[in-house]
Amino acid sequence: MRVFRTSKSLVEHLSFETRPIGMVPTMGALHQGHLSLIERAVEENKTALISIFINPTQFDDKTDLDDYPVNINEDLRLIGEISNDIIVYVPEANDVYGNIVKSEYFDLGGLDLVMEGEKREGHFQGVATVVTHFLKTFSPDHAYFGEKDFQQLLIISHITRSLKLKTKVIGCPTIRESNGLAMSSRNILLSADHKRLASKLFEGLTFAKSITKKVPYKKVKSMVIDFFENQSELKLDYFKITDPETLKEIDLEKFSHRGRGFIAAYLGKIRLIDNLDMS
Ligand code: PAF
């Protein structure tokens, strides 16, 4: 495995590598969800590039940034188990941003103004800044992102199209624990009891899916809200079914089986999100 700390040395190295190049941007603390993206990048490309960088501009909360799990040695070990030919980029913030660590401003077509965008100010501008920087700098042919962060995936697809970047963005299915909990780096912060409670997000989504053809959306929504009323420490933040491309919430009077369900909840200070195709 070759590990690069600077984009300059990496760009030079990539010019000798065979295309297609598949990139998986990550913030480390790798889990099975990331590993499935990395495996796919290895299978579908001649060269696989993984970045590990906790991007400060996408955190609206300093404590969340400070608490973000870091485990670089274990990350490198897991990557090495997939293949020793993978290229890993592990920069410091100044290699990505220079001296001023701040987001650029992008028109994200309003996709950044709902759900996670509404709750986490500036989050998607930070994501768009770092991802477009990587795609422009390394010009991968393919870039892989998990559907767990479906809103992020749509926003990255949107910005890649509008900036006419040559990279094809590929969305990959959410990987789940056996109880349905979507894999996430933040799960490491959950106790066994909290993991059991956190799996209620997926339970809520599958329950919603099971009734979307039977009752109008307004009823689905109120039944899901009721389902979360008695889940002790788990506090529902939102549940919505939206058009899967525009993220506009569907009409309350209509049936919602063609939409995508999105859910967010707090377990103590930890924010959990999940989503599911309702069809
Ligand atoms: O999904 C993530 O881990 C991050 O948002 C990403 C895409 C690596 C950008 O920092």
Side-chain angles (χ1 to χ4, degrees):
M1 184 189 333
R2 282 143 303 170
V3 179
F4 291 82
R5 304 268 167 195
T6 68
S7 57
K8 188 164 179 287
S9 56
L10 176 55
V11 168
E12 202 177 304
H13 178 84
L14 286 176
S15 67
F16 298 106
E17 287 288 354
T18 321
R19 284 189 176 268
I21 297 174
M23 179 166 191
V24 183
T26 80
M27 298 206 295
L30 302 183
H31 52 70
Q32 207 49 50
H34 294 115
L35 301 183
S36 72
L37 304 180
I38 298 173
E39 277 159 9
R40 192 152 165 200
V42 168
E43 267 163 39
E44 296 180 356
N45 299 276
K46 292 267 190 247
T47 303
L49 166 64
I50 319 303
S51 60
I52 300 178
F53 176 60
I54 301 180
N55 174 35
T57 62
Q58 69 187 75
F59 288 81
D60 58 336
D61 174 355
K62 170 100 173 51
T63 327
D64 191 23
L65 173 60
D66 292 343
D67 290 349
Y68 201 84
V70 183
N71 202 345
I72 187 74
N73 292 337
E74 178 61 4
D75 291 345
L76 295 178
R77 190 189 69 73
L78 290 168
I79 294 172
E81 273 188 358
I82 296 178
S83 158
N84 259 325
D85 294 333
I86 295 174
I87 298 170
V88 189
Y89 173 50
V90 191
E92 295 290 337
N94 66 2
D95 195 58
V96 177
Y97 286 98
N99 290 334
I100 303 168
V101 181
K102 93 181 209 328
S103 291
E104 285 174 50
Y105 175 78
F106 296 93
D107 178 354
L108 301 175
L111 295 168
D112 57 325
L113 302 178
V114 293
M115 298 190 289
E116 290 313 290
E118 218 177 344
K119 302 288 164 170
R120 301 175 66 190
E121 214 194 320
H123 169 67
F124 287 119
Q125 293 296 339
V127 171
T129 300
V130 79
V131 173
T132 55
H133 172 76
F134 289 160
L135 301 189
K136 284 180 187 166
T137 310
F138 306 123
S139 304
D141 301 275
H142 305 123
Y144 298 82
F145 299 89
E147 287 184 350
K148 153 81 170 44
D149 295 302
F150 195 86
Q151 188 174 5
Q152 166 174 283
L153 171 63
L154 277 191
I155 285 173
I156 292 170
S157 304
H158 169 89
I159 192 74
T160 315
R161 272 195 312 274
S162 66
L163 296 179
K164 299 191 171 43
L165 302 181
K166 58 160 257 189
T167 307
K168 184 171 177 214
V169 172
I170 300 176
C172 305
T174 304
I175 306 294
R176 299 181 180 281
E177 311 263 2
S178 54
N179 67 5
L181 173 63
M183 296 225 180
S184 159
S185 301
R186 286 189 167 87
N187 291 357
I188 227 169
L189 306 171
L190 299 173
S191 65
D193 260 9
H194 277 177
K195 277 196 175 163
R196 190 184 43 75
L197 265 179
S199 71
K200 297 281 172 200
L201 268 76
F202 185 59
E203 216 180 291
L205 286 170
T206 42
F207 167 63
K209 181 170 172 152
S210 70
I211 53 174
T212 49
K213 279 189 184 152
K214 298 182 193 138
V215 294
Y217 173 43
K218 146 168 97 182
K219 182 78 184 152
V220 176
K221 203 167 175 174
S222 70
M223 286 171 85
V224 171
I225 291 169
D226 286 351
F227 173 84
F228 280 94
E229 284 288 270
N230 301 316
Q231 302 295 350
S232 64
E233 288 168 89
L234 188 64
K235 297 280 167 267
L236 181 67
D237 187 24
Y238 61 73
F239 165 75
K240 269 185 192 181
I241 299 182
T242 77
D243 176 287
E245 279 160 27
T246 62
L247 297 185
K248 290 212 165 70
E249 188 165 15
I250 62 161
D251 189 330
L252 282 170
E253 303 303 328
K254 297 224 163 101
F255 285 79
S256 47
H257 56 282
R258 291 215 170 79
R260 191 157 194 111
F262 292 85
I263 196 161
Y266 286 97
L267 199 44
K269 280 197 290 184
I270 299 172
R271 186 174 174 78
L272 302 162
I273 58 168
D274 202 351
N275 67 86
L276 190 68
D277 178 8
M278 294 283 120
S279 59

